[in-house]
Amino acid sequence: MKLLKHHLATVAAIVAIGLVGFMAGAASAAQPTPWQMGMQPAATTVMEDIRWFNDFTLVIMTGVTILVAGLLLFVIFRFRKKANPTPSRTSHNTTIEVVWTVVPILILVMISVPSFRLLFKQLDIPEYEMTIKATGYQWYWGYEYADEGMEDVAFDALMIQNDERPEIMAEKGLTDAELPRLLATDYNVVVPVDTTVRVQVTAADVIHSFAVPAFGIKIDAVPYRLNETWFRADNTGMFYGQCSELCGRDHAFMPIAVQVVTKEQYAAWAEAAKTDVDDANTLLAKMIADEKKVASR
């Protein structure tokens, strides 16, 4: 009994830590957090549907697990040798056979309907307002803005190394959370909020995978092939992802950083980026800093 109480206390402590981690993760919409148990908060309607579908299937799985466990316990105690010395000779039960055939079919239908709806929503690209091409390299991402007037805006985004982070944080006055280890890049993909963005994904060498959890997007980057996905961010902020394909030695070090800004900020950034992306990023940082100062007054 003491051993059982000890195990129960341990389990309760783990659950409590997990809940704290989940709440901490819910406070950040951009990146994973220590002890996070659930998915990142949704930044698009697609991710909202993914989170709902995950919870929906979890409820069904939990119900099935409890039912099966209950039936097993019932059979173990009800039909054990001591309680049932003379076993039943019944070989068929039509009602039971119909139930255990029909019920799983109904459960699968319940799961399939929202599943197909979600798949269609992910794969059916709506009318988009801008296009960005993402190319996977060993081991970083390259981006090109494909819209009219933005054809010359292109850059490679490399992960900021650990030994570079202290200097950059000191120079720009950033915190660890604002320049996350293994996720921050030297150049961010800049897009406006409430704008449907088509992302064309390919690779120059081996198969990579373009994934941003908060947007609910994940698609393979295959050499000589152009795949497409889309997102529409509902709020501004920094959103991080990573290559999700085992693509080689530095697979774990090719993050994706997407900066969602207001439409006014994006318009100013885009105009400046046509001439110089570095100057555009400096301008954008100043606009965001000024906005924060005004908001803090």
Side-chain angles (χ1 to χ4, degrees):
M1 183 60 69
K2 289 183 179 180
L3 183 62
L4 177 60
K5 288 182 179 179
H6 173 73
H7 286 319
L8 289 175
T10 303
V11 171
I14 293 173
V15 171
I17 293 173
L19 288 174
V20 171
F22 176 78
M23 294 306 294
S28 173
Q31 57 187 281
T33 58
W35 293 98
Q36 180 177 342
M37 293 185 65
M39 299 179 181
Q40 292 184 28
T44 65
T45 56
V46 170
M47 189 58 191
E48 287 176 359
D49 289 351
I50 291 174
R51 287 174 60 92
W52 177 88
F53 184 68
N54 177 76
D55 296 340
F56 174 70
T57 53
L58 180 61
V59 170
I60 293 176
M61 290 168 53
T62 302
V64 170
T65 302
I66 292 173
L67 175 63
V68 172
L71 289 174
L72 283 173
L73 291 173
F74 174 76
V75 170
I76 289 171
F77 288 100
R78 173 65 178 80
F79 297 104
R80 68 189 191 278
K81 183 177 181 179
K82 184 176 181 180
N84 193 43
T86 305
S88 171
R89 298 291 181 179
T90 303
S91 60
H92 294 283
N93 187 306
T94 303
T95 302
I96 292 177
E97 291 179 356
V98 169
V99 169
W100 74 35
T101 301
V102 173
V103 171
I105 292 175
L106 294 177
I107 292 174
L108 290 176
V109 170
M110 287 174 59
I111 295 175
S112 66
V113 172
S115 174
F116 291 148
R117 174 183 172 275
L118 178 56
L119 284 172
F120 181 79
K121 186 173 183 178
Q122 289 177 297
L123 298 175
D124 183 48
I125 299 177
E127 185 175 350
Y128 50 88
E129 299 163 76
M130 63 180 293
T131 300
I132 295 174
K133 181 181 179 182
T135 304
Y137 298 95
Q138 291 178 306
W139 284 270
Y140 59 93
W141 290 96
Y143 301 98
E144 302 170 50
Y145 285 71
D147 297 311
E148 184 177 353
M150 296 286 289
E151 299 91 343
D152 295 332
V153 180
F155 51 84
D156 295 330
L158 281 72
M159 186 187 77
I160 295 176
Q161 301 297 320
N162 281 336
D163 56 354
E164 300 172 335
R165 292 178 69 244
E167 181 181 348
I168 295 175
M169 286 190 293
E171 178 185 344
K172 298 185 178 180
L174 302 175
T175 63
D176 280 337
E178 292 172 324
L179 200 74
R181 177 177 175 270
L182 304 182
L183 290 175
T185 58
D186 54 357
Y187 287 89
N188 302 326
V189 180
V190 181
V191 297
V193 71
D194 294 328
T195 301
T196 302
V197 181
R198 177 180 66 163
V199 184
Q200 296 180 324
V201 182
T202 188
D205 33 55
V206 299
I207 298 177
H208 301 279
S209 185
F210 189 87
V212 182
F215 293 164
I217 59 175
K218 181 180 182 294
I219 190 166
D220 281 347
V222 183
Y224 311 111
R225 180 173 179 174
L226 200 63
N227 288 332
E228 292 186 342
T229 186
W230 70 281
F231 67 88
R232 184 184 180 91
D234 296 329
N235 50 281
T236 60
M238 283 296 306
F239 300 91
Y240 295 99
Q242 290 177 300
C243 173
S244 297
E245 189 68 66
L246 294 175
C247 58
R249 185 193 68 192
D250 287 340
H251 152 71
F253 307 107
M254 50 182 300
I256 300 161
V258 182
Q259 186 173 13
V260 182
V261 298
T262 65
K263 293 187 177 182
E264 294 77 14
Q265 291 170 343
Y266 176 77
W269 177 88
E271 189 61 34
K274 294 175 184 178
T275 305
D276 190 302
V277 175
D278 290 320
D279 290 344
N281 289 339
T282 301
L283 173 63
L284 180 61
K286 183 178 183 303
M287 294 176 67
I288 293 174
D290 291 342
E291 184 181 59
K292 288 181 178 179
K293 288 180 182 178
V294 172
S296 63
R297 290 177 182 173

